[in-house]
Amino acid sequence: LGMIEISFRQINQVACAMLATQLDNFLGGDPVQHRQVQGYESPEFMNLFPRGVSYKEGGVESGFRKSQSGSGPVQRLYQIKGKRNIRAKEVDLSWQSFNKGDCFILDLGETIVSWIGSQANIFEKQKVREIATLIRDTDRHGKAQITNINEGDETQEMLQVLGAMPELKESTPEEDSQADASNSASLYKVSDATGSMKLTKVSEKSPFAKDLLVREDCFILDNGANGKIFVWKGSGANAEEKRAALKMADDFIQQMNYPKMKTQVEILPQGRETVIFKQFFQNWN
C-alpha cells in the first residue's frame, strides 16, 4: 500500500514505534506513516476496514491474519470548511458527514466529484475547486475528470457510492469560525532531532511558500489545533534524523502540550506528500 499504519494502546507505544521504524528502514524510508491511537482512529484508517473494526484483547491467540480484501479502488471524502482559513479534511464516507453549509470532494480515483452545499460561502466554493484540481494534477497526474455538482444535482455515480441522499443538516456561521481556528498552522525546521531537538519557526501563517521545504532538512507542520502533526523528511536529510521522525513528532507534541493520545501524526518522505499536507502550501503544482 506504500504506507505504514501504526495503531497502539499506551502500554505498547515503545515497541510499536520500534517496529514501525524497523519496517520503514526495511522499505527504504519511502512509506508514509500514520500513527493511530485506539478510540481516535482517523477516517483514512477506518476506511481500510469496510466491515468495521472490533477490538481484541491481544496476545498470541489473536494472531496475525492475512487480509482477505485487496486495496480496492480509491474512495475518499473530504470536507472543505471555513471562511478566512479554509481547509480540507478527510471525513467518513457517508451522507452523515455532509451538511448544506460546506463543500465536499468525493474522490473516486478516475472521477473527482466537487459538491457544493446550498449554503456554502464563496470562499469554500473557491477552495473546493482548488483542492479538486490539486488532487487531479498531483495525485492523478492530470488523468482524472472533475465533476462539479450543486446540492440537489447528485449524479448516479455519487448515489451508488453513498446510497440514497437523506435530508442534510444545516450549518452555522459559528461552525465556520471554529473551523478557522482549528485550521491554523505553523511550520518549523528541525535540527539535531536525534539528541536535544531544536526547532526554528519558519512561518506561522499558511499557506506557506513551497520552497521553504529544504531537501537537506526535516520539518514539522503543526496543525495541532486540529489534532494533527506532520513530519516532512527531506530526501537529503541526515539518515539518523529520518529514522527519528516518530520521536521527533512525540517530542514536539510534548513540547507543545498537545494531548498525546488524541494528536494524530503523519510522517511524509519528500515526494510522498498527501493532499491534506499539500493544501497548506502555495502553488504546490
Side-chain angles (χ1 to χ4, degrees):
L1 293 177
M3 65 180 177
I4 299 172
E5 294 284 353
I6 312 164
S7 181
F8 52 75
R9 295 182 179 180
Q10 189 169 9
I11 191 170
N12 288 323
Q13 288 182 25
V14 175
C16 199
M18 288 175 60
L19 289 170
T21 301
Q22 291 171 5
L23 183 56
D24 186 57
N25 292 339
F26 177 74
L27 296 172
D30 291 333
V32 173
Q33 296 184 45
H34 302 260
R35 188 185 71 178
Q36 309 285 341
V37 179
Q38 181 178 330
Y40 302 100
E41 295 89 350
S42 67
E44 300 98 308
F45 182 81
M46 298 305 287
N47 285 342
L48 296 173
F49 303 92
R51 297 182 181 179
V53 171
S54 61
Y55 297 112
K56 297 183 182 297
E57 288 302 315
V60 175
E61 290 183 2
S62 66
F64 293 91
R65 296 179 177 84
K66 183 178 179 180
S67 173
Q68 297 301 309
S69 59
S71 57
V74 174
Q75 287 190 349
R76 296 190 182 97
L77 181 65
Y78 299 96
Q79 179 182 24
I80 288 81
K81 189 177 189 65
K83 190 169 184 180
R84 297 179 182 274
N85 196 14
I86 309 102
R87 294 281 176 261
K89 69 174 181 178
E90 188 165 353
V91 292
D92 289 333
L93 190 71
S94 166
W95 280 119
Q96 299 304 313
S97 298
F98 282 73
N99 66 72
K100 295 175 179 288
D102 295 327
C103 295
F104 292 80
I105 291 174
L106 178 60
D107 181 7
L108 300 176
E110 294 182 357
T111 302
I112 300 167
V113 179
S114 174
W115 185 93
I116 297 174
S118 58
Q119 299 169 5
N121 63 54
I122 189 171
F123 307 105
E124 291 165 337
K125 293 177 182 179
Q126 178 181 346
K127 180 61 72 173
V128 75
R129 289 192 292 268
E130 292 177 9
I131 299 296
T133 301
L134 183 65
I135 295 172
R136 181 193 66 189
D137 293 347
T138 65
D139 282 16
R140 308 291 140 69
H141 307 290
K143 298 179 180 179
Q145 179 69 40
I146 296 175
T147 302
N148 297 303
I149 294 176
N150 291 317
E151 180 188 332
D153 298 329
E154 291 71 25
T155 63
Q156 188 60 36
E157 183 179 27
M158 194 175 181
L159 296 174
Q160 282 180 342
V161 174
L162 295 169
M165 182 178 172
E167 181 66 28
L168 299 182
K169 298 172 288 188
E170 304 285 327
S171 185
T172 66
E174 289 76 18
E175 290 178 0
D176 284 342
S177 297
Q178 293 170 2
D180 284 342
S182 65
N183 288 339
S184 62
S186 299
L187 186 66
Y188 294 83
K189 176 183 172 182
V190 181
S191 59
D192 195 22
T194 57
S196 178
M197 184 174 70
K198 297 180 179 63
L199 296 171
T200 303
K201 183 178 282 189
V202 176
S203 179
E204 59 183 9
K205 186 173 178 61
S206 62
F208 312 116
K210 186 184 174 185
D211 59 11
L212 291 175
L213 296 174
V214 182
R215 66 179 298 274
E216 289 79 19
D217 295 309
C218 293
F219 291 80
I220 291 177
L221 194 157
D222 175 17
N223 185 216
N226 198 35
K228 195 145 191 177
I229 299 299
F230 303 84
V231 180
W232 184 85
K233 302 186 295 183
S235 57
N238 180 287
E240 286 298 319
E241 288 192 340
K242 287 183 182 180
R243 281 193 286 269
L246 190 57
K247 179 180 182 298
M248 229 184 269
D250 282 338
D251 289 350
F252 182 83
I253 288 168
Q254 183 176 358
Q255 191 168 325
M256 299 297 288
N257 291 319
Y258 292 144
K260 184 172 183 179
M261 300 301 284
K262 296 183 180 181
T263 304
Q264 296 177 3
V265 174
E266 194 167 297
I267 299 172
L268 304 164
Q270 183 176 354
R272 297 295 313 279
E273 298 87 356
T274 61
V275 168
I276 299 299
F277 179 80
K278 292 173 185 174
Q279 71 173 327
F280 287 99
F281 294 84
Q282 299 170 1
N283 304 320
W284 187 273
N285 291 352

